[in-house]
Amino acid sequence: MAHGQTGDNSLTMLLLRVWLWAVPIVMFGAALVFGGIAAADGSWGLTGAMFVLGLIAIGMMVMHYWLLYRFGKEPPR
């Protein structure tokens, strides 16, 4: 079975890193924007839901950071 490049500099690893960072950052940004709009409108239930979504996004960022540097390269110093 033939395998492609599997090192840290492969295109696949680059795309994986971009995906793992982009998704939670976009989720967090969307939660901030829609939470702010909901708060300005007085929709406190939706504001609470966006707060929870923001916490989930932060949790995903922490988990992805751990996964990338647990199985990938060393973290920046």
Side-chain angles (χ1 to χ4, degrees):
M1 182 163 34
H3 292 286
Q5 185 180 4
T6 58
D8 277 348
N9 297 327
S10 68
L11 178 62
T12 305
M13 281 303 292
L14 175 67
L15 292 174
L16 178 63
R17 284 188 192 107
V18 168
W19 179 259
L20 287 176
W21 283 116
V23 169
I25 290 171
V26 169
M27 263 178 67
F28 186 70
L32 285 176
V33 168
F34 290 118
I37 292 170
D41 195 36
S43 180
W44 299 112
L46 183 57
T47 302
M50 291 300 105
F51 181 76
V52 171
L53 182 65
L55 290 178
I56 291 170
I58 290 170
M60 282 178 64
M61 281 187 240
V62 170
M63 184 188 70
H64 289 172
Y65 180 84
W66 179 78
L67 284 172
L68 282 171
Y69 294 116
R70 169 82 166 103
F71 300 109
K73 62 181 184 174
E74 293 294 318
R77 294 179 190 240

